[in-house]
Amino acid sequence: MVNISLRLSSLATMAVFELRAPTFLRSQLYCQSKEVTDIMKDFDELGHLAPTNLHLGGTKFMVIQGKFDAVIRDKKESGGVTIKKTAQALIFGIYEEPMTPGQCNMVVERLGDYLADQGLQSTT
């Protein structure tokens, strides 16, 4: 497994949002409750965010790709965001250049896999 702790430091912003008690466990990100509600709806109804785009802390991201009930990938200028859903949390990774979308995807999704291995079960 890639050493994700070194790569986590390459993210511009990282956050873990607990689903059961809707709070951020570790966060450098502020989200409004409607933004989290819209993200959760997109996990249930893939494409929900496409017409309005994703908003995080008031910042608009263009929806690029998603996997039903697993991951959402969005872009904003030279950066973007990857959101991984586990059974108990949402993991957010926001990146800026020189990090690439693929690097961000790998870090966030592997962190989700790692947390699942530690008992924070993934939905995939």
Side-chain angles (χ1 to χ4, degrees), residues 51 64 114:
I64 299 295
Y114 171 79

Side-chain angles (χ1 to χ4, degrees), residues 42-43 46 54 61-67 70-75 80-84 95 101-102 104-106 109:
D42 196 66
F43 279 116
L46 198 58
L54 171 78
F61 292 84
M62 182 175 65
V63 177
I64 299 295
Q65 182 183 34
K67 291 182 188 174
V71 69
I72 298 172
R73 298 179 183 111
D74 302 277
K75 183 106 174 97
V81 62
T82 299
I83 307 167
K84 168 78 173 172
Y95 68 94
C104 181
N105 295 342
M106 180 182 67
E109 292 180 45

Side-chain angles (χ1 to χ4, degrees), residues 32-121:
Q32 298 172 3
S33 60
K34 180 180 180 348
E35 294 171 338
V36 174
T37 301
D38 285 343
I39 290 165
M40 291 302 298
K41 188 165 185 174
D42 196 66
F43 279 116
D44 294 335
E45 300 172 24
L46 198 58
H48 167 75
L49 289 173
T52 60
N53 293 304
L54 171 78
H55 292 81
L56 288 176
T59 301
K60 182 174 161 180
F61 292 84
M62 182 175 65
V63 177
I64 299 295
Q65 182 183 34
K67 291 182 188 174
F68 177 74
D69 207 33
V71 69
I72 298 172
R73 298 179 183 111
D74 302 277
K75 183 106 174 97
K76 180 185 177 290
E77 297 168 6
S78 62
V81 62
T82 299
I83 307 167
K84 168 78 173 172
K85 181 181 178 192
T86 72
Q88 299 172 4
L90 298 178
I91 302 160
F92 295 80
I94 298 176
Y95 68 94
E96 296 292 337
E97 285 184 342
M99 184 174 244
T100 66
Q103 290 170 323
C104 181
N105 295 342
M106 180 182 67
V107 169
V108 173
E109 292 180 45
R110 286 192 177 176
L111 177 59
D113 294 342
Y114 171 79
L115 293 174
D117 290 345
Q118 302 304 308
L120 190 67
Q121 297 300 310

